Amino acid sequence: MDKNQGYAILKVVMLENGRGFALGECPREPEPFVTWACYDDEHGRRQYEWGHYGMDRDALARDLSERVENYQQQFSVKVAWVEEPGLYKYYSTQRPVDIGTFPKPPHNAPDEIVNYDQRVPVEGGAFLAWGHLTYTRPLSEKDMADYELRPSKDNPAVGKRMERKPSISRQMQEAGRQAPPSHKREAPDRGER
């Protein structure tokens, strides 16, 4: 996770409109806990502002929740994702990890890249992968889709983005049920053309 003014960021709640709030800690400061409003600038760097400082971690954790709730009520936005400390693991399902086969978002380069000797079952045999990467921040849905990466079920919670999607066959069955009935036409006789 990030650091800001010596404070290690413990949690970030990002909202649909690109704004968010963060909780930080710096044990050597007289007020070791802080919540900030935050956003990612045009270069992808997280910017922090409007700090609320204090000595009680629980009180500042409540402050973080209150700031998020108040902002949501005022601007009618939903939580897009939550970042917490930990590593985010993604599996490369279509090819070994190599140059140009994985995302490199600004300020979120992979911490670890591991290629397996062959395509192996992962996540308890749920699917096959050629290798995996770990990041300190979660990847966007677009990055995962563009590079055909699948997140580990053990990743720290990142809100709705980590919900399990139904299998492709289940999605196709559901689409078939929702499709309007097709009207079959008989092919014209060659003589009628």
Side-chain angles (χ1 to χ4, degrees), residues 6 53 67 83 127 154:
Y53 295 83
R67 291 180 84 173
E83 297 174 14
F127 55 93
D154 298 325

Side-chain angles (χ1 to χ4, degrees), residues 10-11 23-25 32-33 35 54-63 85:
L10 303 176
K11 184 175 185 177
L23 172 67
E25 176 185 25
F33 300 100
T35 64
M55 297 175 66
D56 182 358
R57 180 182 180 144
D58 292 335
L60 271 292
R62 283 190 303 274
D63 182 63

Side-chain angles (χ1 to χ4, degrees), residues 132-152:
H132 72 261
L133 304 106
T134 57
Y135 292 83
T136 53
R137 287 185 177 173
L139 294 176
S140 69
E141 288 287 338
K142 182 178 181 342
D143 282 340
M144 286 189 284
D146 287 352
Y147 292 93
E148 299 170 309
L149 300 176
R150 290 191 61 179
S152 170

Side-chain angles (χ1 to χ4, degrees), residues 24-91:
E25 176 185 25
C26 183
R28 67 179 184 273
E29 291 292 329
E31 294 183 299
F33 300 100
V34 61
T35 64
W36 281 297
C38 63
Y39 63 94
D40 292 339
D41 68 15
E42 65 275 1
H43 304 293
R45 280 183 246 124
R46 181 119 333 130
Q47 301 297 322
Y48 300 91
E49 57 192 12
W50 305 103
H52 295 178
Y53 295 83
M55 297 175 66
D56 182 358
R57 180 182 180 144
D58 292 335
L60 271 292
R62 283 190 303 274
D63 182 63
L64 176 70
S65 296
E66 290 170 6
R67 291 180 84 173
V68 169
E69 288 172 19
N70 292 340
Y71 191 91
Q72 285 182 286
Q73 288 174 355
Q74 185 176 0
F75 295 100
S76 300
V77 292
K78 295 179 183 172
V79 172
W81 72 86
V82 177
E83 297 174 14
E84 293 182 291
L87 291 177
Y88 296 85
K89 185 176 192 178
Y90 298 91
Y91 293 99

